[in-house]
Amino acid sequence: MTAAVGEQVIVVGAGPVGQSAALLLARWGVPVLVLDERPGRRPAGSKSICQQRDVLDIWSAAGAGRIAEEGLAWTTARTYYRGEELLSWTFDTQGPLPPCVNISQTRTEQILDAAIAAQPLVEVRWDHRVTGLEQDDAGVTVRCRDRTLRAPYAVVCAGARAQGLRQALGVRFDGESFDDQFLICDIRADLPGWEHERRFHFDPEWNPGRQVLIHPCPEGTFRIDWQIPPHFIPTRQDVARRIRQIIGDRDYDLLWQTTYRFHSRIASRMRVGRVLLAGDCAHLVAPFGARGLNSGVPDAENAAWKLAFVLNGWAPAELLESYHDERHAAARENLEVTAATMRFLAPRTEGERARRRAALEACRAGGDAAEVDSGRFAEPFWYVDSPLTTPEPARPFRGRPPKGALCDPAPGVIVPDVPLPRGRLRELCRDGFLLLLGGMCDSGLFAQVLGKVTTAPLAVRGLAEMDGTGTLAERLGAGPDEAWLIRPDAHIAAIIPHAGPEQVIAAVRRASRLSEV
């Protein structure tokens, strides 16, 4: 995969989303220049710690599989109310990768930095504050104080505070900020039985009227989040008292602490001409459910493959508009999910407080646990309504699965990551389009026909030949006369029953925005 254009794409921001975008672009052979206003990398505690399976998969493709290897795989989430356990749920562990790992953002950035250092197509320049963006029909001019740089495209991953860049692009950042604060502490302690469990406490006696969240992390460390009043400034003694209330008289080391307020905001546009916005620069959500970085990294992947297709001449520039269509819809869903969570966690009216008390008390009495909202854990966004997806009435999207479970395959849904004799299914999905065919389909015919339709990388494989046993077709639920078109980000673009060349050609054209001929 070699880019047809020698100019560097500029990525603004060297946080995890910018790092991911750079690595994924380089994977397609696109040279990248990363600009960051900071003088260099500074360790900053745990920050974003929960990374779900599909993001680990993206990082593995980008050359950062150590994140999954080093992260702590927790399996069970427990929820308590006034010290009594209300409910618990466990991840569906199907698939080669763990459903979720906890690892500090500091360590994640170090691993991504190491991958970048080994990638000759990526250049990183620190102490380069971007002060302006201008674009024309030929490219983007990026201003860094008193100098200018040119690029065919730019991906802005500069974080929530990139207000000046959003304004320069004419992008609003509408939403709200919440009053309550959260105190975060990273500690190292020996807490037997807690090593693989997330614990969420509603209204414990040691934080009355508010919440506490405890996450295990690698090397015997734990992350604790306390909801605290809006203007409360915790002292050293107060922090120590709060930790003791949770862990008792065990020894511990305090590794890092901070306070933060959370926000719910979304950019009015995620694509403005030749500039794409990604990560916190484009959307901010409350942290419960870990939907921040777990949404930002898919932003980076979506942007990378589409920019690579356009730069290589495999797709028209119109493909980039689908970046906004798909990732803005993902951001809106995350805002809806987290807004509902925040109405439960931080009720603002007496009516909301009463509903929360009623739900918690009812659950404690054996009622419906579904009414208790401590944050729906991050899921991939499924491009069911994307302009790139070919719908199939016989394979409808059946809605979100139960918490922690996997989704049934359908057009728009990410393909299950099935183990194969040599690797994983998704490892074969990220080099271009992948067409999977049932046993009744002629692979040679489809390869010959599609070679005349697109110049993009496209592999045609029989399902039976993938594992030699027919197990893959059974795991996917694929019929012998079906064709499955998989996008370069492992989402299913089409499932075509009674597949013929004409239907598959139409699906490929739709998935890459190629015009009809």
Side-chain angles (χ1 to χ4, degrees):
M1 296 179 291
T2 303
V5 181
E7 297 174 277
Q8 292 174 313
V9 168
I10 289 179
V11 172
V12 182
V17 176
Q19 292 171 293
S20 301
L23 286 167
L24 292 162
L25 282 163
R27 186 178 181 277
W28 286 101
V30 177
V32 184
L33 173 61
V34 181
L35 306 174
D36 196 286
E37 66 180 1
R38 296 170 293 176
R41 183 77 65 201
R42 288 194 292 258
S46 56
K47 298 180 75 175
S48 181
I49 61 168
C50 299
Q51 316 308 342
Q52 61 106 338
R53 177 183 0 233
D54 305 288
V55 169
L56 299 176
D57 181 40
I58 295 171
W59 278 331
S60 177
R66 287 191 63 85
I67 297 173
E69 296 168 7
E70 292 190 15
L72 184 143
W74 60 278
T75 57
T76 303
R78 301 191 184 279
T79 301
Y80 300 82
Y81 175 48
R82 295 181 176 173
E84 180 180 342
E85 184 172 339
L86 287 184
L87 57 101
S88 67
W89 59 269
T90 302
F91 283 112
D92 186 327
T93 56
Q94 295 181 32
L97 291 171
C100 172
V101 302
N102 283 357
I103 185 170
S104 75
Q105 182 172 324
T106 292
R107 182 58 186 146
T108 294
E109 290 175 344
Q110 290 172 345
I111 294 171
L112 292 169
D113 277 339
I116 286 173
Q119 175 50 261
L121 288 177
V122 180
E123 177 186 358
V124 181
R125 297 183 190 175
W126 298 97
D127 200 22
H128 275 64
R129 180 170 177 262
V130 175
T131 56
L133 292 169
E134 300 171 6
Q135 54 184 313
D136 52 42
D137 291 342
V140 183
T141 299
V142 178
R143 299 190 178 278
C144 295
R145 296 190 176 93
D146 58 349
R147 62 178 303 187
T148 61
L149 302 165
R150 280 287 283 182
Y153 293 95
V155 185
V156 180
C157 314
R161 297 176 181 173
Q163 184 61 20
L165 299 182
R166 286 190 295 265
Q167 287 178 344
L169 295 168
V171 173
R172 302 187 313 279
F173 203 42
D174 298 331
E176 60 180 330
S177 299
F178 292 81
D179 292 332
D180 272 25
Q181 298 183 93
F182 280 81
L183 166 66
I184 302 174
C185 288
D186 294 345
I187 67 169
R188 179 175 287 111
D190 183 16
L191 301 176
W194 295 27
E195 301 95 330
H196 297 280
E197 296 184 353
R198 184 220 73 172
R199 298 185 171 211
F200 191 105
H201 291 265
F202 284 105
D203 195 18
E205 64 179 8
W206 25 270
N207 199 35
R210 289 183 166 84
Q211 282 68 248
V212 177
L213 177 62
I214 307 162
H215 265 284
C217 294
E219 299 179 346
T221 63
F222 293 83
R223 151 83 169 263
I224 309 176
D225 293 43
W226 291 264
Q227 186 182 10
I228 58 176
H231 304 294
F232 182 74
I233 302 176
T235 64
R236 180 180 301 177
Q237 292 78 11
D238 184 66
V239 170
R241 176 180 59 82
R242 287 175 179 271
I243 294 172
R244 287 285 177 219
Q245 287 171 331
I246 294 173
I247 71 170
D249 60 0
R250 296 181 177 90
D251 292 337
Y252 75 91
D253 294 318
L254 176 61
L255 307 176
W256 177 74
Q257 74 175 73
T258 190
T259 59
Y260 73 94
R261 294 172 63 210
F262 51 88
H263 312 270
S264 179
R265 298 187 180 277
I266 186 170
S268 55
R269 290 283 304 170
M270 289 181 64
R271 180 226 175 180
V272 181
R274 292 174 171 269
V275 180
L276 308 182
L277 277 64
D280 286 355
C281 181
H283 43 74
L284 286 175
V285 296
F288 298 99
R291 290 172 177 263
L293 186 53
N294 280 306
S295 185
V297 174
D299 288 349
E301 182 182 40
N302 196 295
W305 81 261
K306 291 173 180 176
L307 284 169
F309 268 49
V310 172
L311 286 166
N312 278 288
W314 300 331
E318 287 76 17
L319 178 65
L320 298 180
E321 184 59 17
S322 70
Y323 171 76
H324 169 79
D325 294 334
E326 293 181 344
R327 298 312 302 164
H328 199 260
R332 290 198 307 270
E333 179 182 85
N334 281 331
L335 258 67
E336 291 168 3
V337 170
T338 55
T341 297
M342 292 319 303
R343 286 194 295 273
F344 196 85
L345 297 185
R348 294 180 171 182
T349 67
E350 186 52 44
E352 288 180 352
R353 285 187 284 272
R355 283 192 292 274
R356 189 179 87 151
R357 284 194 299 270
L360 291 168
E361 293 291 351
C363 185
R364 183 160 64 172
D368 187 4
E371 298 299 316
V372 175
D373 189 351
S374 59
R376 180 168 181 128
F377 191 69
E379 305 142 309
F381 183 74
W382 296 312
Y383 304 130
V384 178
D385 299 318
S386 168
L388 307 189
T389 300
T390 300
E392 172 46 53
R395 292 274 191 170
F397 174 60
R398 302 188 184 280
R400 292 288 174 185
K403 184 182 288 187
L406 300 178
C407 185
D408 292 334
V413 172
I414 194 166
V415 71
D417 194 15
V418 179
L420 297 172
R422 296 182 179 179
R424 306 183 281 114
L425 175 58
R426 287 199 200 157
E427 289 177 324
L428 304 177
C429 294
R430 289 192 158 89
D431 292 332
F433 286 113
L434 174 64
L435 183 66
L436 300 176
L437 298 174
M440 295 175 59
C441 300
D442 185 341
S443 298
L445 172 63
F446 281 96
Q448 181 181 7
V449 170
L450 290 173
K452 300 176 182 178
V453 175
T454 179
T455 57
L458 190 152
V460 180
R461 307 285 293 274
L463 283 163
E465 75 179 76
M466 300 280 282
D467 61 5
T469 65
T471 303
L472 176 58
E474 183 180 343
R475 289 284 299 272
L476 295 178
D481 65 347
E482 286 185 344
W484 288 44
L485 180 65
I486 315 298
R487 299 173 10 158
D489 55 7
H491 284 77
I492 302 168
I495 299 177
I496 304 169
H498 315 298
E502 296 79 9
Q503 298 106 306
V504 174
I505 288 171
V508 170
R509 288 189 177 281
R510 182 167 185 159
S512 50
R513 302 299 278 178
L514 291 171
S515 60
E516 297 292 337
V517 294

